[in-house]
Amino acid sequence: MNAAADMNAAPRRSLLGRFSDFLYRRPTFYLLLLLVPPLLWFGAVYIASLLSLLWQSFYTFDDFTMLVSHTLTLANYAQLFQPANFDIIVRTLTMALAVSLFSALIAFPVAYYMARYATGRTKAFFYIAVMLPMWTSYIVKAYAWTLLLAKEGVTSWFIHLLGLDAVLEFLLGIPGIGGNTLSTSNIGRFFVFTYIWLPFMILPIQAALERLPPSLLQASSDLGANPWRTFRHVIFPLAIPGIAAGSIFTFSLTLGDYIVPQLVGPPGLFLGNMVYVQQGAIGNMPMAAAFTLVPIVLIAVYLSIVKRLGAFDAL
Amino acid sequence: MHSEKASVWLKIAAWGGLVFLHFPIFIIALYAFNTEESAFSFPPPGLTTKWFAVAFSRADVLDSILLSLQIACIATVIAMILGTLAAAALYRRNFFGKESITLMLILPIALPGIITGLALLSAFKTLDVSPGVMTIVIGHATFCVVIVYNNVVARFRRTSHSLIEASMDLGADGWQTFRYIILPNLGTAMLAGGMLAFALSFDELIVTTFTAGHEKPLPIWLLNQLTRPRDVPVTNVVALMVMLVTMIPVLLAYLLTKGGEDVAGSGK
């Protein structure tokens, strides 16, 4: 506290008051004071952890003694391209893309109705109805699906009720997506993923459509476009940033998940399972660390693609 | 042309989407009352409330609930402090590195949980920290900060700076302005952020599996039940409870943050 500051200020009552005046006059110091605790926490806990993980991906794991030595090597990264490991990457990537696409398809009508037709109470209802499942427990939602897909469970009961057994048999018979039962098939796993991440897709699309000015739609119809052409040439292009923003979540969340693949679907590891198995059962932390780089790289590539679609403005 | 009424198909697709989102949740609620002990057949042969009593008399269930509540409370408090500080620092001023700081706050929730979890685990191992309640809290607090930050920064942006200037012009010092103008205005946003952070921490599973060691917070307890199916009825009841415990704070957070344009002079 300097003398000049004391002279031109009215006499202050409390120490706190004087201190806050001092901060007001030195905004940079004030800013630093605010930033230090969060920066310390994130720097010491998070960034340091990420760097330590990256560093460990260069350590050597001895397959024979099952021990990690601190000799630096690129062997872990080379191993990622072995056919078995490459399969895991492709399997996870395919699922992430399929889930993103399908959830956009289901999410669009919900978001469209919310943004353009629902008003007042209906709109608030829709908003809460989408937000609640998004926040409810991930593990409980996954569990619910093991109940739904179980043999003689709800889904097969409904399919039987609707007389669609033949359709189910046909779907399960398709190689690649089928399996013995719904709960051990890729299509079952695909539904679970789509379900769990769907709200993350609805909300950004809804936000993008919400910003669409009604005058554009009137202009389109005034110029003679029928509803389909208006949708095709006006509404849909303007919704793309929202879809892209939503797909960031569905893509990245599917890519890193390792619980759903454990509970539903055929054997065959996902990226997340591989990371978990490597560090846990095998104790090969360097290989696990190298594997975590795969989703990071894939997400970075994905982000650079959707950035061009305007996803970042719609977040 | 653009008609004012939605077509029947759109309505069906929209409401159908909502049914899809809620049907599994309804099933969880239904099966918690199922009389059948070891299968998932549908429709349930009968309904009963006896499993609630059974679940609440299980020591392992109660321990897990208490542990999860404890972790969520500590993580929420840390996240509220750090998130509010970050929001206060970042909402108005532009400075070098601001974008990187925002990115750093978002990263723990944007990157798959498995990366955050493994990174923390590798750091704890390097430092010889044995996993336990504290390591779980550290992980949770890290990804909860951004939730509080988002809520508080949105409120800061919506608050007109002229309110603060008016307070200063009328002779209030910085502390008084903070105490009587800024804090009451931020209060509900901080609380809402805290509620969401609590809900997120209470049922977080993926990061927790890496940092928990031998501790068994509720989501891990549930996961263990699923991979080794036994006492299905108790699991069903706990699943319903976890869902309710996370839903209530989320609803409260929604009620706290909707509206808020009614503060006099806050229009921009």
Side-chain angles (χ1 to χ4, degrees):
Chain A
M1 207 88 32
N2 60 37
D6 279 341
M7 269 190 338
N8 58 28
R12 290 300 187 192
R13 298 145 303 277
S14 65
L15 200 64
L16 265 174
R18 291 228 300 254
F19 182 61
S20 55
D21 284 352
F22 171 74
L23 290 181
Y24 192 79
R25 292 202 189 90
R26 282 171 186 74
T28 310
F29 178 73
Y30 174 53
L31 185 72
L32 275 177
L33 210 61
L34 287 173
L35 273 177
V36 162
L39 282 185
L40 267 183
W41 180 280
F42 272 79
V45 172
Y46 191 60
I47 302 297
S49 301
L50 283 180
L51 291 178
S52 107
L53 184 65
L54 185 67
W55 183 246
Q56 292 197 32
S57 68
F58 296 105
Y59 281 176
T60 310
F61 180 77
D62 190 325
D63 288 321
F64 190 65
T65 58
M66 305 287 269
L67 287 174
V68 175
S69 71
H70 292 194
T71 324
L72 299 185
T73 173
L74 282 171
N76 301 315
Y77 288 101
Q79 268 197 51
L80 288 181
F81 294 97
Q82 284 179 359
N85 291 337
F86 199 70
D87 276 355
I88 295 175
I89 298 174
V90 172
R91 180 182 301 133
T92 315
L93 187 64
T94 319
M95 180 61 86
L97 289 173
V99 167
S100 300
L101 207 67
F102 190 60
S103 42
L105 214 65
I106 303 185
F108 198 89
V110 182
Y112 189 62
Y113 186 77
M114 270 173 91
R116 307 230 39 95
Y117 296 103
T119 48
R121 275 164 183 268
T122 320
K123 191 166 201 152
F125 173 77
F126 259 80
Y127 186 70
I128 295 176
V130 172
M131 201 182 60
L132 272 186
M134 177 161 120
W135 282 92
T136 44
S137 174
Y138 162 84
I139 181 69
V140 172
K141 283 184 283 190
Y143 177 55
W145 275 87
T146 63
L147 295 181
L148 283 170
L149 296 178
K151 251 195 161 102
E152 290 165 27
V154 184
T155 314
S156 47
W157 186 82
F158 265 104
I159 287 176
H160 190 70
L161 186 77
L162 298 171
L164 294 174
D165 296 282
V167 179
L168 179 66
E169 286 297 310
F170 172 74
L171 276 178
L172 290 178
I174 302 174
I177 68 166
N180 286 330
T181 57
L182 266 178
S183 58
T184 57
S185 68
N186 257 323
I187 189 162
R189 183 185 283 164
F190 168 74
F191 273 117
V192 180
F193 271 132
T194 307
Y195 171 77
I196 295 185
W197 311 135
L198 185 62
F200 292 91
M201 183 62 100
I202 297 178
L203 293 178
I205 300 182
Q206 184 251 346
L209 289 171
E210 203 82 53
R211 282 193 291 268
L212 194 150
S215 57
L216 278 186
L217 305 183
Q218 283 155 11
S220 170
S221 72
D222 286 349
L223 293 168
N226 61 23
W228 169 246
R229 286 190 69 183
T230 304
F231 180 81
R232 172 77 189 74
H233 295 285
V234 180
I235 299 173
F236 187 68
L238 289 171
I240 283 180
I243 299 175
S247 75
I248 294 176
F249 297 106
T250 54
F251 183 79
S252 145
L253 290 168
T254 312
L255 217 51
D257 197 281
Y258 78 98
I259 305 287
V260 171
Q262 227 170 303
L263 296 176
V264 181
L269 295 173
F270 265 46
L271 273 174
N273 303 86
M274 192 58 182
V275 171
Y276 193 71
V277 168
Q278 287 288 353
Q279 71 80 29
I282 304 176
N284 188 348
M285 183 63 102
M287 195 63 218
F291 254 107
T292 56
L293 216 68
V294 178
I296 297 183
V297 170
L298 290 176
I299 290 166
V301 171
Y302 193 76
L303 285 180
S304 68
I305 296 172
V306 294
K307 195 175 179 192
R308 295 196 189 162
L309 298 173
F312 286 27
D313 309 320
L315 274 178
Chain B
M1 61 158 260
H2 172 68
S3 59
E4 285 308 308
K5 291 196 79 174
S7 76
V8 181
W9 292 111
L10 181 63
K11 271 190 177 163
I12 292 175
W15 286 96
L18 280 202
V19 170
F20 177 63
L21 279 176
H22 288 267
F23 187 68
I25 295 176
F26 164 74
I27 289 297
I28 285 286
L30 180 68
Y31 272 86
F33 299 95
N34 193 356
T35 48
E36 205 176 23
E37 275 189 49
S38 56
F40 306 122
S41 63
F42 186 85
L47 299 176
T48 170
T49 52
K50 71 172 175 184
W51 303 121
F52 285 82
V54 175
F56 282 110
S57 63
R58 287 266 300 256
D60 57 334
V61 174
L62 292 178
D63 285 348
S64 291
I65 295 175
L66 285 180
L67 180 64
S68 276
L69 286 176
Q70 184 195 353
I71 292 165
C73 287
I74 308 175
T76 303
V77 170
I78 298 175
M80 279 173 80
I81 296 170
L82 296 178
T84 309
L85 286 175
L90 297 177
Y91 86 103
R92 230 172 107 80
R93 302 229 350 225
N94 272 317
F95 54 89
F96 177 75
K98 181 178 165 175
E99 302 271 293
S100 334
I101 296 177
T102 327
L103 181 70
M104 189 175 76
L105 294 178
I106 298 173
L107 220 48
I109 209 154
L111 284 182
I114 194 148
I115 296 169
T116 309
L118 191 67
L120 289 172
L121 176 67
S122 83
F124 292 145
K125 273 191 176 166
T126 314
L127 299 175
D128 259 338
V129 180
S130 57
V133 177
M134 262 352 271
T135 54
I136 305 177
V137 167
I138 289 173
H140 285 197
T142 305
F143 59 70
C144 285
V145 169
V146 69
I147 308 287
V148 179
Y149 168 80
N150 273 344
N151 270 276
V152 176
V153 92
R155 180 64 56 86
F156 261 128
R157 289 197 182 120
R158 222 165 57 181
T159 305
S160 167
H161 198 64
S162 56
L163 283 181
I164 293 163
E165 282 163 356
S167 158
M168 296 289 214
D169 287 348
L170 292 169
D173 60 33
W175 166 251
Q176 287 168 323
T177 305
F178 175 76
R179 171 71 188 76
Y180 295 105
I181 306 291
I182 301 176
L183 200 59
N185 197 20
L186 285 188
T188 52
M190 285 172 66
L191 206 58
M195 297 268 179
L196 293 177
F198 181 90
L200 191 68
S201 162
F202 189 78
D203 67 20
E204 208 288 335
L205 176 62
I206 295 197
V207 176
T208 317
T209 50
F210 286 94
T211 53
H214 298 293
E215 299 290 341
K216 282 205 173 39
L218 211 47
I220 294 197
W221 183 90
L222 261 176
L223 181 69
N224 285 344
Q225 297 288 104
L226 306 194
T227 40
R228 279 172 274 138
R230 52 199 163 127
D231 5 284
V232 170
V234 176
T235 311
N236 290 343
V237 168
V238 174
L240 176 63
M241 260 162 25
V242 171
M243 222 170 54
L244 292 178
V245 170
T246 47
M247 268 186 177
I248 292 163
V250 173
L251 270 179
L252 287 176
Y254 171 78
L255 292 176
L256 282 172
T257 46
K258 82 175 173 118
E261 284 85 17
D262 47 346
V263 180
S266 65
K268 288 215 167 180

